[in-house]
Amino acid sequence: MQLSTADIDVLRTLLKGDTPHASSSHRLRLEMKGLIRDTAGGLVLTETGKVAAYSTANVEHEKSEEPVRRLDAAGRKRMLDRRIDFS
């Protein structure tokens, strides 16, 4: 099962015992994957969620490098310099 960085962050936060900031649709998605249970007491990691959180605990997230865009006279990014990759 492939998890997004947001999914991993929510699982790690729950593993620490903190309350994550996740939208209701994100919570529902994680619940449908079987990683959490949304109870009256809050979010609870399932056994599958604990395994996923432990296995991704030491994995570094890949950060995408955005190209450096030139700034206009006011210091804003120039909108017309954007490139869209259709591959």
Side-chain angles (χ1 to χ4, degrees), residues 42-58:
L43 296 177
V44 177
L45 275 174
T46 61
E47 291 302 317
T48 308
K50 288 179 185 177
V51 169
Y54 281 124
S55 66
T56 59
N58 296 326

Side-chain angles (χ1 to χ4, degrees), residues 8 19 25 30 36 52 62 71:
I8 293 170
T19 305
S25 60
L30 289 174
I36 63 169
E62 294 180 11
L71 303 179

Side-chain angles (χ1 to χ4, degrees), residues 44-78:
V44 177
L45 275 174
T46 61
E47 291 302 317
T48 308
K50 288 179 185 177
V51 169
Y54 281 124
S55 66
T56 59
N58 296 326
V59 175
E60 291 291 326
H61 297 301
E62 294 180 11
K63 294 187 178 184
S64 62
E65 293 183 19
E66 295 183 19
V68 177
R69 291 182 13 204
R70 293 180 290 180
L71 303 179
D72 65 2
R76 298 177 298 235
K77 293 179 183 174
R78 295 173 49 168

